[in-house]
Amino acid sequence: MKTNKARKQRKRMYNAPQHLKRKQIASHLSSSLIEKYNVRAVPVKKGDTVRIMRGDEGIKGFEGKVAAVDTKAMKVMIEGVTMAKADGSEVSRKIHPSNVVITKLDLSDPWRRRKIESAKGD
């Protein structure tokens, strides 16, 4: 069923099963990777290198590896991006995948490599 109502689209996004949410956690590729693979966006995976494009001055422009992907919250955690809790301890900061750009792909997964390179030929 298709709908144009933002309310229903948000409801379907947040109530989607985990295997469908995984595909929704996608980010754009950098312009050099778009030219190389002829793909605009791919799901973010642990091991990809990303650059933060939106956010506070402290994290905007930061580039690092993806440490973890939280499919339930639909966020990514990047190595070196932390925030302080009230007790002084540091926790990794969760960032929405639309606010990052993938600068280097982790192609160690043969299925992912085949999927991305098959789009190159189109």
Side-chain angles (χ1 to χ4, degrees), residues 93-105:
R93 184 169 179 174
K94 296 182 179 181
I95 300 170
H96 196 271
S98 66
N99 295 330
V100 301
V101 169
I102 299 174
T103 57
K104 186 178 175 202
L105 287 168

Side-chain angles (χ1 to χ4, degrees), residues 5-6 22 27 33 41 51-52 62 69 78 84 92 94 100:
K5 296 187 177 183
R22 179 71 196 99
S27 291
L33 290 178
R51 184 182 319 111
I52 301 173
F62 183 86
V69 178
I78 301 167
S92 59
K94 296 182 179 181
V100 301

Side-chain angles (χ1 to χ4, degrees), residues 22 43 45-48 105-117:
R22 179 71 196 99
K45 183 183 174 201
K46 180 181 174 180
D48 288 343
L105 287 168
D106 176 24
L107 295 176
S108 61
D109 180 15
W111 184 87
R112 188 182 199 203
R113 182 185 297 118
R114 274 196 315 269
K115 194 78 169 164
I116 291 172
E117 293 191 357

